[in-house]
Amino acid sequence: MEDNIKVLLTEEEVDTRIRELGEQISRDYAGKKVHLICVLKGGVFFMCELAKRISVPVSMDFLSVSSYGNGTSSSGAVKIIKDLDESIEGEEVLIVEDIIDSGNTIHYLVEILYKRQPKSIRICTLLDKPDRRVADVHVDYCGFEIPDEFVVGYGLDYAQKYRNLPFIGAVVLDE
Ligand code: IMP
Ligand code: MG
């Protein structure tokens, strides 16, 4: 069965905003190297595009997390199921996420990564649903604040589908 997907943010809107974020990050990290950490899988499209728009030296690593508990919203602590390849000690870390919803995932991730003694940790997310926030999270760079709708595309999935859509769409659930 086909899902009904309505365009929320066009490819052009997303591209333009990622360029702006890249410029802002390049200014903020002037004279430094930034170590991008992608939260798989959703963050991968965003991180690739963002990295191309950053003009200071960049290194990259990847991790994957799963949420303990069940249900559709993450309930609390997360567990790293694919860890980083390299140490982050002394690095200026920028975590790159697809979306922050309850904030639980990023909250726990920051807690885990801080113990590894990076020089700094900041958070960059393509999308933010502030209405859904439960955990106390400071977002440093945000592409777009969006309403409480389930979105797909640009890395975001619905049951592992639609990650490859070049735009952000909202899934309209049929009754
Ligand atoms: P949080 O821990 O509630 O902030 O959840 C964050 C994770 O839930 C994101 O990294 C996504 O993987 C997933 N997620 C939250 N909202 C959506 C959505 O609207 N579409 C697709 N995935 C979502
Ligand atoms: Mg994610």
Side-chain angles (χ1 to χ4, degrees), residues 125-143:
T125 187
L126 179 60
L127 305 172
D128 188 2
K129 289 185 195 170
D131 296 348
R132 301 254 308 167
R133 194 71 87 256
V134 176
D136 182 22
V137 177
H138 176 75
V139 179
D140 299 279
Y141 304 97
C142 171

Side-chain angles (χ1 to χ4, degrees), residues 73-74 97-106 129 149-152 156-157:
S73 58
S74 58
E97 258 284 24
D98 50 0
I99 188 164
I100 299 179
D101 187 26
S102 71
N104 283 326
T105 306
I106 201 78
K129 289 185 195 170
E149 286 187 271
F150 195 83
V151 291
V152 293
L156 291 140
D157 73 302

Side-chain angles (χ1 to χ4, degrees), residues 71 75 91 101 109 114 123:
S75 52
E91 297 285 351
D101 187 26
L109 198 52
Y114 254 124
I123 297 169

Side-chain angles (χ1 to χ4, degrees), residues 4 7 22-23 31 38 45 64 91 105 108 143 145 154 157 164:
N4 185 3
V7 178
E23 285 164 12
C38 175
F45 288 68
S64 182
E91 297 285 351
T105 306
Y108 279 92
E145 287 193 358
Y154 227 93
D157 73 302
N164 58 317

